[in-house]
Amino acid sequence: MLPPSHSSGEPRPVRVPVATYRLQLGRGLTLARVRELVDYFHALGVSDLYLSPIMMARAGSLSGYDVVDPERIDPELGTEEDLRALAEDLAQRGMGLLVDVVPNHMCITDPANRWWYDVLENGQVSAYAGFFDIDWSPPKRELRTKVLLPLLPEQYGRVLENQEIQVRWQDGRFVAAHGPTWLPLSPKSWAAILQPAADATRALLGEEHAEQLELDSILTAIENLPPRTETDPERIKVRQREKEVIRRRVDEQLARSPEVRQEVERSLEGLNGHQGDPTSFDRLEALLADQAYRLSYWRVAADEINYRRFFDVNDLAAIRVERPEVFAAVHEQILRFVERGWVTGLRIDHPDGLLDPEGYLAELQRACRDALARGGLPGADAPFYVVAEKILEHGEHLRASWPASGTTGYEALNLLDGVFVDRANARAFGDLYVRLTDRSPSFTDLVYDCKKLVIKVSMSGEHWVLARRLDRISEQHRWTRDFTLHSLLRALTEIVACFPVYRSYIRPEGGEVDADDRRVIAAAVRAAMRRNPAVSRSIYDFIRGLLLGGEPLPPEVEEQRRELVLRVQQLTGPVMAKGLEDTAFYRTYPLVSLNEVGGSPAAFGAPVEELHAGHRERLARWPDSLVATSTHDTKRAEDVRARLNALSEIPTRWEPAVARWREQNRRHKEMIDDREAPDANEEYLLYQTLVGAWPLVRPDDAEWGTFVGRIQEYMLKALKEAKLNTSWISPYEEWDEATRRFITAVLERRRSDNEFLRDIEVFQRPIAQAGMLTGLSRTVLKLAAPGVPDFYQGTELWDLSLVDPDNRRPVDWDLRRRLLGDEPTSASRERVEELLGTMEDGRIKLHVTSRGLACRLRRRELFARGDYVPLAGWGPREGHLCAFGRVNGDDVVIAAAARFFLRLGAADRRPVGEEVWEDTVLDLGALPCGTYRDVFTGRKVRAVSGDRDWCTLRLAEVFAHLPAALLERVG
């Protein structure tokens, strides 16, 4: 039985994409460059482009998610005029434009973030202090009214006395500079610089000199400036006004008076200290102590940081978009683009980081409707097309109450991949992994351990804040006041580590906690108690009662409880993401293709019935949700995963191959602290990665060098994410370099005795063949599935990229345009035969993608709302089939895809025709008999009724040329 429908009775957005194409913008792919490619995307068959964030990010950003100014387009990407021109070109072709919005964090290490830099300059009295989630009253007395800035490479005192922090006059202000980073100095603290200069100029110019009088007047103005701890609103306004006057006056005097400038420079020279003379830095230390921030070694962030971050990234500070003024400031420009009709859809980055995702989405929908109404555009009475980057764990559903069109498609990705993993070999792969690596922890236990590690190492500061909140609440009732702070901290750690999903969604306004939230919270508490039987149940019952809202509490305590609940929800998500995706996924990998966002190595494949159930649920509840197979955040590109999924068919060939390679490469390992580097687990990851990413065409020496470098960078990232032998926080250089040298040695192709290289090259060929065929089958299923198929840039050809930044390498657009331009206007079996003959060049995938998208465009309503009919096969090869129909009245399309190609003999022959499929048939069930035409080959096949009362299609005919088909009913 399906969960309650989201879409039932609700209006559909005025514009829903037929298919989207994700572009990762940057210096090499600007808005103007995208405009040059519009005709290509239109010819490919996508209906909407889908851009990474376009608002201003830090200089040189590779992702666009490190936004510094949401009020203007990133100048590295283009101008507002470029966006307008792109939007108009798209509109002329009936295409739309989705834009990625980052509502939950900002980059704070770039001075272009004027909100944050104003906070650093003015502290709590900054007009933007409320934009960021800062605890101005932390337990550490020295941090009160200050922001901890953990950006120094080593201990503060050492950095200071190495003269790595220097005060200078820059762009009309005094700043503290550390390398390329500079920080504003509070104008009230400028007296420490200007007073010594004034004393010196007095001796030079005399008391009555105009420049001396001006400098003394400036110092008086600084003395009378209200402090940054001021609370009176009128006095705060005075400070905001007068500090700008002071800044202007100083700038003008320094430009005008060489005497004043000379003495200010001398004052700065003395202030900045002299290396080897520790006391010479006392003035500088006092000046820095007078700021609204405290500079510190970056390692202290986990324990003492007092601003909420995006995950554990110190450079990214969370913003309080739940506040109306922050929401308005963050979205003002994007909404102007909606109002003008330039932007037709939005993708919301990481809504789980928000205080109230549902409330945010509701406010966003309201703002989009208002924008459309202001612009006189259709859609003011309907939802706007919005998808949320929500990662759903197995069995979890997107909340029906969310005013969005669905997710960015990770659950669809894992469903599609699942049917291409041979479930029958789950035990075999688990056993061979133990034999090869001597690792056999339960994945549940591993995730639990990794989440506790993340809490301890990366997020202990946030965790302590919540524990102290718990402690304050417990003190207010005689039944709970004996719970100690440390016991509450330990219990909360266990509950967060046992949370089965990313987060719960209890609303700020309170009310009844819904059944889903009750279930996941209760499950977390039960698991925590089970893991800690010696701890009193009462403390867990207390926390569960607070999270679920038990007995009525006094109003002031109820407010504290509600704030605690909201903050816990904002912690469980980052802990899950860092513990699962960025730690556990890099520690265990019986079959590494399963370690994907939204997936799990414990879920070794899925039956076809599970795919059908997932598709029917999406059609019933979220018919406009994205269906992705690769994204900018996937751990491996879709075609890498397709190859690795093929490995699941051959455990008895895979294990001896790995054992052989280990023996061949043993001589290249190094002993580091009495251990072999890389270790057996890391080496196993390397071999899977090589099989998955091995070039399709033999590269020349330069290309091979690039490939080796990519593998080295990937492996070093993987090892650091695993946090076992090395890490980002504590890099073990000897281990890193030993691993790098190992990879160089095993992939050295100039050595005639490199037996491993010859061996793996031969071994991977049939895997690559099966991977390409799997990629075609998965593309067909994706094109016909309920939802909106989403294509990541470049994946219309084979893409063997690894995790970012590898998957953000430049795309060869000229190649793709040329290949698409060579596509004939009509489909033919001869064309498919030709493309299969040179399958490595990727043209066959482009052919399947473009023909399939053309079919979707022709039959928009069928694919948008048509019924979904699971289909089955009968005969000796029925287990190699995945098929379903889409039906809208008399309009019928059937998607049929083969799978498990190695067992079909793909290594020795093309898995098509009578010899492979024998008398296996596709049972059409309730679908009509008649003639069907394959959109890829143009070939017609006829469904006939046989001994049974229903129609069948012979798979030898359906798969006569290509083991994947999209069949349109004709006549």
Side-chain angles (χ1 to χ4, degrees):
M1 182 175 178
L2 293 176
S5 172
H6 165 79
S7 59
S8 178
E10 294 184 8
R12 197 178 183 207
V14 168
R15 180 181 180 86
V16 174
V18 176
T20 57
Y21 192 101
R22 163 77 179 204
L23 292 167
Q24 195 65 39
L25 302 180
R27 289 176 176 174
L29 187 62
T30 63
L31 294 170
R33 176 61 173 147
V34 172
R35 188 183 175 200
E36 295 172 0
L37 298 169
V38 165
D39 282 336
Y40 167 73
F41 298 125
H42 183 249
L44 183 63
V46 296
S47 68
D48 293 63
L49 294 188
Y50 160 24
L51 304 182
S52 62
I54 63 173
M55 308 317 290
M56 186 174 177
R58 91 166 94 197
S61 172
L62 297 177
S63 69
Y65 290 99
D66 36 9
V67 174
V68 295
D69 187 352
E71 298 181 302
R72 64 185 181 120
I73 290 177
D74 193 326
E76 292 186 2
L77 305 181
T79 64
E80 197 166 302
E81 174 60 25
D82 292 326
L83 181 64
R84 180 199 62 77
L86 172 61
E88 290 180 355
D89 284 357
L90 291 169
Q92 288 171 8
R93 294 161 179 78
M95 299 173 71
L97 185 65
L98 273 74
V99 170
D100 207 331
V101 176
V102 186
N104 52 72
H105 63 267
M106 295 180 74
C107 174
I108 57 173
T109 56
D110 190 316
N113 188 338
R114 58 187 181 83
W115 298 352
W116 181 257
Y117 273 63
D118 194 85
V119 172
L120 297 185
E121 182 179 81
N122 300 295
Q124 289 173 276
V125 302
S126 167
Y128 303 104
F131 279 43
F132 300 94
D133 207 345
I134 301 169
D135 180 6
W136 294 102
S137 301
K140 188 166 184 172
R141 182 172 53 83
E142 292 82 2
L143 274 176
R144 289 174 188 171
T145 74
K146 292 177 181 285
V147 179
L148 183 74
L149 294 185
L151 54 81
L152 301 181
E154 53 184 324
Q155 297 292 340
Y156 168 74
R158 190 167 298 162
V159 172
L160 190 74
E161 294 186 18
N162 282 340
Q163 289 190 303
E164 294 175 33
I165 302 172
Q166 298 280 284
V167 175
R168 63 179 183 235
W169 180 257
Q170 175 179 298
D171 299 328
R173 68 176 71 201
F174 288 110
V175 302
H178 174 258
T181 301
W182 63 265
L183 303 168
L185 295 176
S186 169
K188 198 164 180 65
S189 70
W190 289 11
I193 304 165
L194 295 177
Q195 188 63 61
D199 293 342
T201 56
R202 189 172 291 108
L204 285 173
L205 301 174
E207 291 279 357
E208 302 304 319
H209 193 281
E211 295 299 343
Q212 184 65 45
L213 292 172
E214 171 64 4
L215 186 51
D216 288 341
S217 175
I218 289 172
L219 283 163
T220 300
I222 291 174
E223 183 180 354
N224 293 327
L225 197 65
R228 59 180 171 79
T229 53
E230 182 60 69
T231 57
D232 179 74
E234 290 305 314
R235 296 275 292 159
I236 291 173
K237 288 180 183 178
V238 169
R239 176 189 167 91
Q240 298 286 9
R241 181 185 68 240
E242 294 302 316
K243 72 181 180 65
E244 294 305 315
V245 174
I246 292 168
R247 193 195 316 274
R248 186 180 68 249
R249 290 174 66 186
V250 173
D251 193 34
E252 290 172 353
Q253 187 171 38
L254 289 176
R256 183 179 63 240
S257 172
E259 295 86 359
V260 172
R261 172 173 283 278
Q262 174 182 293
E263 295 307 325
V264 167
E265 288 173 352
R266 285 180 179 169
S267 178
L268 288 174
E269 184 181 355
L271 175 74
N272 285 325
H274 303 284
Q275 202 161 2
D277 180 5
T279 61
S280 67
F281 294 95
D282 291 349
R283 279 180 61 206
L284 178 56
E285 183 175 11
L287 176 70
L288 294 174
D290 197 25
Q291 305 308 312
Y293 51 85
R294 177 184 169 102
L295 288 166
S296 71
Y297 185 26
W298 67 270
R299 287 180 182 268
V300 310
D303 295 326
E304 294 186 347
I305 201 160
N306 62 330
Y307 60 88
R308 191 166 58 84
R309 300 165 292 173
F310 176 69
F311 293 169
D312 60 349
V313 184
N314 295 341
D315 292 358
L316 301 178
I319 52 177
R320 305 194 67 180
V321 76
E322 66 273 10
R323 293 188 168 186
E325 67 274 17
V326 182
F327 181 95
V330 169
H331 297 86
E332 180 180 5
Q333 278 288 66
I334 286 291
L335 291 170
R336 279 206 309 114
F337 301 152
V338 171
E339 178 183 338
R340 294 173 180 179
W342 301 353
V343 169
T344 58
L346 299 173
R347 181 260 196 195
I348 307 305
D349 180 61
H350 191 57
D352 275 354
L354 303 177
L355 191 75
D356 179 19
E358 183 178 334
Y360 165 81
L361 291 169
E363 180 61 20
L364 182 65
Q365 288 286 358
R366 182 202 60 74
C368 288
R369 287 195 299 270
D370 290 348
L372 293 172
R374 288 193 303 273
L377 299 172
D381 296 327
F384 196 69
Y385 187 74
V386 174
V387 289
E389 187 211 14
K390 168 58 189 164
I391 300 164
L392 299 167
E393 291 297 284
H394 189 73
E396 184 185 10
H397 305 283
L398 189 65
R399 298 302 169 95
S401 55
W402 280 23
S405 294
T407 74
T408 52
Y410 286 112
E411 70 284 354
L413 178 155
N414 286 285
L415 267 176
L416 286 170
D417 267 11
V419 297
F420 294 100
V421 175
D422 193 341
R423 298 173 66 239
N425 291 325
R427 177 72 177 271
F429 265 81
D431 290 346
L432 74 84
Y433 182 64
V434 172
R435 287 192 293 270
L436 289 170
T437 68
D438 198 29
R439 288 173 177 263
S440 58
S442 113
F443 187 64
T444 301
D445 290 343
L446 176 63
V447 173
Y448 164 80
D449 290 339
C450 290
K451 289 169 76 174
K452 288 186 72 172
L453 176 68
V454 166
I455 293 169
K456 177 182 178 181
V457 172
S458 303
M459 310 197 77
S460 63
E462 292 91 333
H463 202 60
W464 271 103
V465 168
L466 292 178
R468 285 190 290 270
R469 288 179 184 269
L470 269 175
D471 189 48
R472 285 195 293 271
I473 295 173
S474 72
E475 286 289 344
Q476 299 180 57
H477 196 285
R478 58 180 173 268
W479 283 45
T480 57
R481 72 176 193 178
D482 286 344
F483 294 146
T484 66
L485 174 60
H486 284 276
S487 66
L488 290 165
L489 178 75
R490 286 193 297 271
L492 182 61
T493 299
E494 294 297 323
I495 292 171
V496 171
C498 292
F499 221 76
V501 295
Y502 278 73
R503 62 167 283 173
S504 55
Y505 297 96
I506 298 169
R507 303 293 307 282
E509 60 267 27
E512 184 68 22
V513 177
D514 76 17
D516 285 335
D517 288 332
R518 286 189 171 278
R519 187 181 69 255
V520 298
I521 291 170
V525 174
R526 281 197 307 273
M529 288 193 292
R530 192 165 56 247
R531 289 183 179 277
N532 297 273
V535 178
S536 170
R537 292 177 59 100
S538 60
I539 195 166
Y540 289 107
D541 291 337
F542 167 63
I543 297 174
R544 177 174 51 198
L546 292 178
L547 295 178
L548 293 176
E551 298 179 4
L553 298 170
E556 65 278 6
V557 182
E558 176 58 29
E559 184 60 33
Q560 293 176 35
R561 185 200 70 81
R562 191 172 301 162
E563 183 70 14
L564 170 75
V565 171
L566 297 175
R567 298 295 182 177
V568 168
Q569 293 181 145
Q570 286 182 294
L571 178 65
T572 58
V575 170
M576 173 70 94
K578 299 303 293 182
L580 173 65
E581 294 174 38
D582 293 342
T583 307
F585 277 0
Y586 289 95
R587 288 190 174 188
T588 186
Y589 16 80
L591 185 64
V592 77
S593 56
L594 304 178
N595 295 23
E596 193 49 82
V597 181
S600 167
F604 199 94
V608 170
E609 293 76 17
E610 189 171 313
L611 176 77
H612 292 322
H615 282 177
R616 296 179 76 175
E617 179 184 344
R618 188 181 313 123
L619 180 62
R621 302 184 71 217
W622 304 99
D624 301 326
S625 190
L626 294 186
V627 178
T629 43
S630 285
T631 79
H632 58 287
D633 278 334
T634 41
K635 304 297 184 186
R636 290 155 198 86
E638 57 193 62
D639 296 316
V640 175
R641 297 197 314 274
R643 289 185 181 185
L644 294 169
N645 288 344
L647 280 181
S648 70
E649 303 174 51
I650 54 167
T652 56
R653 289 167 52 194
W654 172 240
E655 183 173 7
V658 173
R660 192 167 62 247
W661 299 339
R662 289 175 60 181
E663 190 59 36
Q664 291 164 351
N665 293 327
R666 188 177 302 281
R667 58 186 170 139
H668 301 305
K669 292 199 171 190
E670 298 178 32
M671 296 302 293
I672 307 291
D673 293 337
D674 298 323
R675 292 182 300 135
E676 285 187 336
D679 67 23
N681 198 43
E682 295 163 347
E683 187 179 4
Y684 186 55
L685 174 62
L686 172 63
Y687 296 143
Q688 291 190 69
T689 301
L690 289 173
V691 169
W694 198 270
L696 280 162
V697 180
R698 183 172 177 79
D700 60 27
D701 288 346
E703 293 166 336
W704 182 252
T706 298
F707 174 71
V708 173
R710 288 175 52 217
I711 297 298
Q712 288 174 324
E713 292 309 308
Y714 168 75
M715 285 298 298
L716 290 177
K717 176 171 180 171
L719 268 57
K720 290 180 187 297
E721 296 285 15
K723 307 171 188 66
L724 291 172
N725 294 316
T726 183
S727 70
W728 300 113
I729 291 177
S730 297
Y732 192 0
E733 298 294 343
E734 291 92 338
W735 195 276
D736 295 346
E737 289 308 308
T739 302
R740 188 184 293 274
R741 287 190 292 269
F742 179 81
I743 295 168
T744 298
V746 303
L747 295 180
E748 176 54 70
R749 67 179 188 178
R750 290 174 296 184
R751 268 200 350 262
S752 59
D753 64 340
N754 195 337
E755 190 180 359
F756 163 72
L757 210 55
R758 292 192 295 272
D759 194 339
I760 192 172
E761 191 165 16
V762 171
F763 179 88
Q764 64 82 35
R765 284 175 193 157
I767 310 300
Q769 175 89 354
M772 288 185 283
L773 294 171
T774 297
L776 297 178
S777 284
R778 182 178 51 197
T779 300
V780 169
L781 298 181
K782 168 181 170 176
L783 286 164
V788 177
D790 173 51
F791 294 84
Y792 184 62
Q793 61 177 26
T795 56
E796 61 272 35
L797 299 183
W798 305 123
D799 181 14
L800 300 176
S801 298
L802 300 167
V803 73
D804 72 282
D806 193 61
N807 62 8
R808 299 178 188 183
R809 290 171 296 143
V811 174
D812 189 340
W813 299 111
D814 292 338
L815 171 65
R816 284 160 176 76
R817 284 200 290 192
R818 186 177 73 251
L819 294 182
L820 187 61
D822 291 342
E823 276 285 289
T825 55
S826 59
S828 69
R829 66 193 77 178
E830 292 79 15
R831 177 64 173 173
V832 167
E833 291 288 345
E834 174 198 347
L835 298 180
L836 285 173
T838 59
M839 192 157 56
E840 290 80 6
D841 62 22
R843 291 183 298 157
I844 184 63
K845 190 179 183 188
L846 180 67
H847 179 84
V848 167
T849 300
S850 60
R851 298 285 173 182
L853 287 172
C855 178
R856 278 195 80 104
L857 287 168
R858 288 195 303 271
R859 290 176 154 81
R860 292 176 183 239
E861 194 57 33
L862 167 75
F863 287 108
R865 288 293 186 269
D867 290 341
Y868 180 90
V869 181
L871 301 176
W874 297 98
R877 299 297 190 190
E878 63 186 53
H880 289 271
L881 176 68
C882 180
F884 54 83
R886 302 300 307 278
V887 183
N888 184 35
D890 293 331
D891 198 7
V892 181
V893 171
I894 296 171
R899 59 184 186 145
F900 304 149
F901 290 101
L902 291 175
R903 289 203 280 114
L904 278 177
D908 305 312
R909 60 185 174 180
R910 191 179 302 164
V912 295
E914 198 84 44
E915 184 181 357
V916 173
W917 294 98
E918 301 176 12
D919 57 353
T920 309
V921 298
L922 172 61
D923 181 354
L924 299 194
L927 298 187
C929 291
T931 301
Y932 290 82
R933 180 178 56 232
D934 181 20
V935 303
F936 307 128
T937 64
R939 189 172 187 272
K940 293 180 181 178
V941 292
R942 183 162 181 80
V944 297
S945 56
D947 298 335
R948 304 179 180 89
D949 294 332
W950 49 84
C951 295
T952 60
L953 286 166
R954 295 186 66 247
L955 286 183
E957 294 185 31
V958 172
F959 296 148
H961 302 280
L962 185 69
L966 199 58
L967 306 172
E968 301 174 296
R969 186 167 181 253
V970 295

